[in-house]
Amino acid sequence: MKKIVVVGYGPAAHRLVEALLQRGFDGRITVIGEEPRPAYDRVALTSYLSGVSAEDLSYPVPEQAVVRLGSRVTGIDRQARVVTVEGGAREPYDVLVLATGSAPFVPPVPGAEHAYVYRTIDDLDAIRLAAKEAADGVVVGGGLLGLEAADALRSLGLRTHIVEMSPWLMPRQVDEGGGSVLKAHIEELGLSVHAGAGVQEIVTDDKGQVAGLRKPDGTIIDAQVVVFSAGIRPRDELARASGLEVGERGGIVVDSAMRTSDPDIYAIGECALSGGMIYGLVGPCFTMAEVAADRILGGGAGFEGADMSTKLKLLGVEVAQFGAMTGALDVTYMDPVAGVYKRLFISDDAQTLLGGICVGDASPYTSLRSFVGKPLPAPPSDLLFTGGGAQLELPDDAQVCSCNNVSAGAVRSAIADHGCADVPGIKACTRAGTTCGSCVPMLKQLLEKSGVEVSKNLCEHFAYSRAELFDIVRVRGITTFSELIAAHGDGRGCDICKPAVASILASLHNGHVLDGEMATLQDTNDRFLANIQKNGTYSVVPRIPGGEITPDKLIVIGEVARDFGLYTKITGGQRIDLFGASVDQLPEIWRRLVDAGFESGHAYGKALRTVKSCVGSTWCRYGVQDSVGLAIELELRYRGLRSPHKLKSAVSGCARECAEARSKDFGIIATEQGWNLYVGGNGGFKPRHADLLAGDLSTEELLRTIDRFLMFYIRTADRLQRTAAWVESLDGGLDYLRSVIIDDSLGICADLDAHMSQHVATYQDEWRATLEDPEKLSRFVSFVNAPGVPDPSIVFATERGQIKPVVLS
Amino acid sequence: MSWVNVCGYQVLQPERGVCALVDGRQVALFRTHDGVVHALGNQDPFSGAYVLSRGIVGTRKGEPTVASPLHKQVFSLVTGHCLDEPAVTVPVYQVRLDGELVQVAVSV
């Protein structure tokens, strides 16, 4: 059995292990990592400061590998083929892979020991701690990582400066013109840019605390936090000490098979020097990992350099660069007012696209990157003005996903040969779009062009999606199903469209779900305001807002359950479910409950279910906010709100998250300053952690944001689409969602707000209303010709002291 | 065969089924949008529960149907055939109006 030892546990190492296992390697893999945690997504590192946890950033640890965290490898005995680990442990290998990554470059200036770097989660923790005592921060380095670090300091509330040696920002990605547009964007956000400036020293005060950064011209930028983010240096010290060949300026020399000068030792990722280049982008590093895995297992793959094209969004500005940054001819479009700069480089015969730079609008990147080295698909001015033209036909060999090296041809084959009919399908099949996600719009275009007809029709009766029907009902002021299907549908409906339309009508008009024709549209649960069980009986769930209940009310529930012989169970949503009621019993049960002050819990509806809470700051010694109070407020605000699917929520009173808010459609976690709002979580069949939508909100801001989130979801989601799938389906994702419901980019927020106010103002308890209406009550009988006669098919046995259903066959 | 009075026609709301106990049998009655009354056995053959009268009434390619409220299999109100699994059927009962009275035929 072959033994593979991997030194370093970053993204490249993770990808290597994954690739080995995927290719069927069944020997022993040992991964030795210096950091105290498994590999994580460094591309998303900044999100850690906005509340995404280290666990969320982490890649899953493969079960088949032995992983040693917090361990440093001290030496390699190449003769004996053994690595030694700090503390003396020895790990023999047949194949050794060095994936030691890189370290931030810290220039040797006086005071540099007081500066921070920006690479690991521990670095971020240290910066966050330092920022608590600081007002100003400065980042040395105006490249990609420098701007990310600057964004991090800004998000920590510091007045932020950026010092860059070159005359403009991001000199490796953009030219001077692009740099000036980028600078304007960044200054607009309140950051100060010092381009063409260096660092002479880090200045400290008489207590030894950092006070600022002195530039070579003698001027001082006041700052209490200094972060160096001025490039990386490959971690090649282990290789160097073991006598492996390293480059003059660092980096472990590898051939196209990713092999070092010792054929049993490979190097991948940022520590590897391939063709004289160090690659600091995740895409090429993943490719190296795949190549090494293939070679280790006897394949013939090779790494022949990588496309260093980049597209990213830094501090809210899109920046992209692809292909060459020079050319015989170039065409430039610049709009300083809109903050857009686009430039294409073209061969001297004006036939071939060589490369391009975009700032403020990266759309040409998506459409044109694949045409580098190929004939221009359209006149350059068209390409710049139309945003690149989504209609361009990509050649099969064009690379769509650079992170995972997936071509347009591979995506087309996934669609045509493997039947992938949507973006998630393509992701699963090809891995395209699974790393940075920037190619997802392209995947969609390829899908659309492939002619895959994804029918959005609700059912045979309506040639519309739910969202389209919602608009029709809203705009035309339609109030009944019959009116809608006569004018816009076919036939008399079915179990798919009727409840969907009932939900739309209820969302818009908030009338009683059993009023008139509405009653005929409802699934049996809404029709009897209870949850049907396998034997045709129903269960009853009274609302217990926030899970808080008085002893007297608990006793009432117990008495009702005892008197009607119901099976009782505590639910996952901090309520009590009473099972085994016949339709005839439901009104009698509810009369007792309503008299005691209970109301419908809507457990039967596609509606708000429950807002779970932990006990919060009132009792808990760790709590920082009153989570129970907020949960009750939210539950009472949104109770009865009909939606495309059920809605669950929870509020946690501190970051320990005892209420499991991040598994909910909208979850709230208390912070010292207010509330963090997470959306799109799900448990169940396909668990998903909710994403942070907005942080540190006041209660008022929180309610407004949730109001809009829910109403926007109700208007635009598909039938039975939970918020998790809905959020994932939004073009532009969370950023788009924020732009709509926080920045009001569609101008609909006033409308959404008014809609929610109307819901809150017109809410009524539907069980109380039912009890007050003899016509509605008359429907709660087992037999129309024998009211009061119990259904003889309902039979119970006993188990653990309670009833259980027996289905007669 | 004899006809049994079940209920008044007006008691049947369009597209909202009810169940009647006829000679010990559970009969699901449906009045469709066009005013016609249909009668099927109330037992859902897939789950064994007596629930078909509580399903959603609609049409499939023009044929009047009811969907089981438990697992949504669709049955023809005319033939009693399950349109999703043609081998499965539920009993169809004859039904008529005597003036305002709905009557169901049961075999003696």
Side-chain angles (χ1 to χ4, degrees):
Chain A
M1 191 175 71
K2 221 171 184 177
K3 292 187 291 287
I4 299 176
V5 173
V6 185
V7 182
Y9 193 13
H14 170 77
R15 184 59 170 263
L16 172 84
V17 175
E18 225 183 18
L20 285 169
L21 296 173
Q22 260 171 11
R23 287 169 168 78
F25 178 71
D26 59 356
R28 177 184 161 95
I29 305 175
T30 306
V31 184
I32 307 171
E34 203 174 75
E35 285 192 67
R37 52 181 65 83
Y40 50 89
D41 182 3
R42 287 192 214 277
V43 178
L45 198 55
T46 332
S47 63
Y48 177 69
L49 291 180
S50 48
V52 174
S53 70
E55 290 72 46
D56 289 339
L57 288 175
S58 292
Y59 295 111
V61 179
E63 280 172 27
Q64 300 92 322
V66 178
V67 174
R68 295 194 178 171
L69 302 176
S71 302
R72 184 194 294 264
V73 172
T74 50
I76 306 169
D77 181 342
R78 288 168 51 196
Q79 250 60 54
R81 295 203 290 193
V82 168
V83 298
T84 46
V85 184
E86 204 168 39
R90 292 162 62 83
E91 194 69 53
Y93 64 83
D94 296 311
V95 172
L96 178 65
V97 182
L98 300 175
T100 44
S102 68
F105 170 62
V106 177
V109 296
E113 68 276 14
H114 299 295
Y116 296 90
V117 294
Y118 187 87
R119 178 173 174 85
T120 66
I121 285 178
D122 287 347
D123 293 338
L124 263 62
D125 282 334
I127 292 172
R128 172 152 55 190
L129 194 66
K132 283 195 173 164
E133 309 293 323
D136 312 87
V138 54
V139 173
V140 180
L144 195 160
L145 283 172
L147 295 189
E148 276 195 14
D151 193 15
L153 292 191
R154 186 178 76 108
S155 76
L156 291 169
L158 302 189
R159 276 190 298 272
T160 303
H161 300 260
I162 302 165
V163 175
E164 167 59 42
M165 288 273 271
S166 305
W168 62 85
L169 295 171
M170 296 192 78
R172 291 180 74 166
Q173 282 84 18
V174 307
D175 58 4
E176 185 169 6
S180 71
V181 170
L182 180 59
K183 178 170 183 249
H185 271 292
I186 288 175
E187 288 178 337
E188 207 168 287
L189 294 173
L191 286 82
S192 307
V193 177
H194 310 257
V199 185
Q200 191 164 49
E201 65 166 321
I202 310 293
V203 186
T204 50
D205 60 18
D206 43 14
K207 289 181 215 126
Q209 302 288 318
V210 171
L213 176 147
R214 191 193 309 278
K215 296 196 281 184
D217 65 7
T219 54
I220 289 180
I221 304 169
D222 289 336
Q224 300 78 47
V225 174
V226 177
V227 179
F228 278 115
S229 192
I232 56 167
R233 292 291 178 266
R235 294 275 304 269
D236 57 10
E237 62 272 15
L238 193 61
R240 210 179 274 271
S242 319
L244 295 176
E245 187 185 346
V246 294
E248 241 173 74
R249 301 181 57 210
I252 308 165
V253 175
V254 292
D255 61 13
S256 65
M258 305 316 295
R259 241 190 314 248
T260 66
S261 53
D262 179 334
D264 294 328
I265 304 181
Y266 293 73
I268 58 170
E270 292 180 311
C271 67
L273 184 69
S274 163
M277 284 270 291
I278 295 287
Y279 292 88
L281 295 177
V282 69
C285 291
F286 280 171
T287 309
M288 290 183 201
E290 295 279 348
V291 168
D294 185 72
R295 285 291 186 145
I296 291 169
L297 300 181
F303 181 76
E304 309 293 349
D307 178 12
M308 293 299 280
S309 301
T310 332
K311 174 183 170 234
L312 36 99
K313 199 169 183 183
L314 282 170
L315 292 151
V317 193
E318 287 188 345
V319 178
Q321 183 272 322
F322 54 96
M325 284 177 69
T326 54
L329 302 172
D330 68 79
V331 185
T332 305
Y333 170 81
M334 182 161 175
D335 179 349
V337 181
V340 172
Y341 177 88
K342 297 186 253 190
R343 188 172 183 189
L344 296 181
F345 300 102
I346 300 160
S347 63
D348 53 3
D349 58 1
Q351 295 296 310
T352 308
L353 180 67
L354 300 177
I357 293 170
C358 321
V359 176
D361 170 14
S363 53
Y365 171 90
T366 309
S367 50
L368 291 182
R369 181 171 53 96
S370 311
F371 285 94
V372 169
K374 299 194 168 70
L376 279 168
S381 55
D382 288 4
L383 298 176
L384 287 181
F385 277 106
T386 59
Q391 286 69 39
L392 303 175
E393 197 58 50
L394 289 174
D396 265 349
D397 63 346
Q399 195 186 42
V400 175
C401 170
S402 53
C403 297
N404 295 286
N405 194 17
V406 182
S407 67
V411 174
R412 289 198 179 104
S413 145
I415 297 167
D417 308 334
H418 301 284
C420 299
D422 53 15
V423 171
I426 294 177
K427 282 183 173 179
C429 185
T430 66
R431 302 183 78 139
T434 54
T435 305
C436 78
S438 69
C439 63
V440 169
M442 233 147 98
L443 301 181
K444 280 193 186 146
Q445 283 174 23
L446 285 169
L447 261 177
E448 280 162 17
K449 284 190 195 147
S450 73
V452 171
E453 192 70 45
V454 188
S455 170
K456 288 181 178 162
N457 296 358
L458 197 57
C459 62
E460 69 170 68
H461 306 100
F462 289 100
Y464 300 100
S465 68
R466 179 192 174 278
E468 289 165 339
L469 271 185
F470 192 100
D471 282 338
I472 291 171
V473 172
R474 183 168 63 93
V475 173
R476 312 237 159 173
I478 290 169
T479 56
T480 67
F481 177 83
S482 287
E483 200 185 336
L484 180 69
I485 199 163
H488 303 280
D490 243 337
R492 280 304 300 172
C494 64
D495 57 303
I496 292 170
C497 61
K498 280 187 164 178
V501 172
S503 163
I504 291 171
L505 291 169
S507 294
L508 279 168
H509 308 302
N510 208 16
H512 197 290
V513 295
L514 298 182
D515 274 343
E517 190 192 67
M518 280 289 276
T520 70
L521 310 180
Q522 311 290 358
D523 258 322
T524 189
N525 285 4
D526 273 301
R527 196 157 138 192
F528 290 101
L529 307 174
N531 291 49
I532 195 165
Q533 303 299 327
K534 62 193 286 184
N535 66 341
T537 61
Y538 291 80
S539 85
V540 169
V541 183
R543 188 169 296 289
I544 301 178
E548 182 185 85
I549 186 165
T550 61
D552 283 343
K553 279 186 147 183
L554 262 182
I555 288 167
V556 170
I557 290 182
E559 286 173 344
V560 168
R562 188 190 55 207
D563 295 353
F564 290 89
L566 305 174
Y567 169 82
T568 57
K569 185 163 192 321
I570 312 283
T571 72
Q574 302 183 336
R575 321 204 271 188
I576 298 170
D577 207 341
L578 314 173
F579 291 79
S582 66
V583 290
D584 319 70
Q585 288 177 314
L586 289 170
E588 302 166 45
I589 290 169
W590 271 104
R591 206 176 292 284
R592 294 266 297 271
L593 292 171
V594 167
D595 285 347
F598 285 103
E599 55 181 36
S600 166
H602 296 97
Y604 47 80
K606 305 296 179 223
L608 178 79
R609 296 287 171 84
T610 158
V611 184
K612 238 175 114 166
S613 67
C614 69
V615 76
S617 58
T618 314
W619 288 91
C620 176
R621 64 202 158 119
Y622 299 115
V624 294
Q625 306 280 353
D626 175 15
S627 48
V628 180
L630 181 72
I632 293 172
E633 185 174 357
L634 293 177
E635 189 158 340
L636 297 183
R637 184 171 183 80
Y638 303 121
R639 63 188 162 178
L641 181 66
R642 290 306 207 275
S643 53
H645 210 312
K646 60 188 170 190
L647 288 168
K648 296 182 174 186
S649 179
V651 183
S652 277
C654 79
R656 285 170 183 75
E657 240 285 70
C658 295
E660 298 163 329
R662 292 195 61 198
S663 66
K664 305 299 182 191
D665 295 281
F666 58 106
I668 296 95
I669 302 176
T671 68
E672 302 273 356
Q673 287 78 34
W675 308 100
N676 281 353
L677 171 61
Y678 296 81
V679 297
N682 202 357
F685 179 64
K686 198 179 165 204
R688 181 182 192 275
H689 262 142
D691 298 310
L692 182 69
L693 183 70
D696 288 335
L697 301 171
S698 68
T699 304
E700 189 191 339
E701 290 167 331
L702 176 74
L703 293 183
R704 190 169 60 227
T705 312
I706 301 174
D707 283 359
R708 293 173 180 177
F709 168 75
L710 292 177
M711 276 306 172
F712 190 48
Y713 163 66
I714 286 171
R715 287 188 177 193
T716 60
D718 274 339
R719 160 188 171 267
L720 299 188
Q721 185 180 36
R722 289 289 294 271
T723 59
W726 175 71
V727 165
E728 283 189 356
S729 75
L730 289 177
D731 235 336
L734 273 193
D735 282 339
Y736 171 71
L737 183 59
R738 281 190 201 101
S739 79
V740 173
I741 66 175
I742 297 175
D743 307 330
D744 199 10
S745 61
L746 300 180
I748 58 170
C749 283
D751 206 24
L752 299 179
D753 293 344
H755 192 174
M756 187 60 85
S757 306
Q758 179 216 338
H759 165 78
V760 174
T762 57
Y763 165 82
Q764 55 168 346
D765 171 25
E766 49 203 26
W767 257 114
R768 176 184 286 274
T770 301
L771 293 174
E772 288 164 358
D773 182 343
E775 198 284 322
K776 290 192 177 83
L777 275 182
S778 71
R779 304 286 170 178
F780 287 82
V781 290
S782 292
F783 302 111
V784 66
N785 58 343
V789 173
D791 182 341
S793 74
I794 296 175
V795 179
F796 298 106
T798 306
E799 185 175 71
R800 293 184 295 276
Q802 298 204 71
I803 58 162
K804 73 167 186 181
V806 178
V807 178
L808 307 171
S809 53
Chain B
M1 192 176 83
S2 64
W3 291 94
V4 177
N5 293 341
V6 172
C7 62
Y9 181 68
Q10 292 308 323
V11 171
L12 298 180
Q13 194 184 352
E15 297 181 347
R16 187 178 189 178
V18 298
C19 183
L21 202 52
V22 182
D23 197 24
R25 264 170 284 192
Q26 294 201 19
V27 178
L29 294 167
F30 305 94
R31 169 177 163 186
T32 47
H33 188 65
D34 53 14
V36 177
V37 181
H38 301 272
L40 300 181
N42 192 38
Q43 188 176 30
D44 168 18
F46 292 95
S47 64
Y50 288 76
V51 292
L52 285 188
S53 61
R54 300 179 220 150
I56 288 180
V57 176
T59 57
R60 184 177 283 187
K61 297 196 176 73
E63 185 168 8
T65 56
V66 63
S68 164
L70 280 169
H71 293 297
K72 313 296 177 199
Q73 295 89 351
V74 170
F75 297 87
S76 164
L77 294 182
V78 180
T79 66
H81 284 289
C82 174
L83 302 182
D84 299 313
E85 276 192 46
V88 180
T89 57
V90 294
V92 180
Y93 295 96
Q94 289 188 50
V95 60
R96 70 177 187 190
L97 287 183
D98 179 11
E100 271 298 297
L101 267 182
V102 179
Q103 297 182 323
V104 173
V106 288
S107 41
V108 191

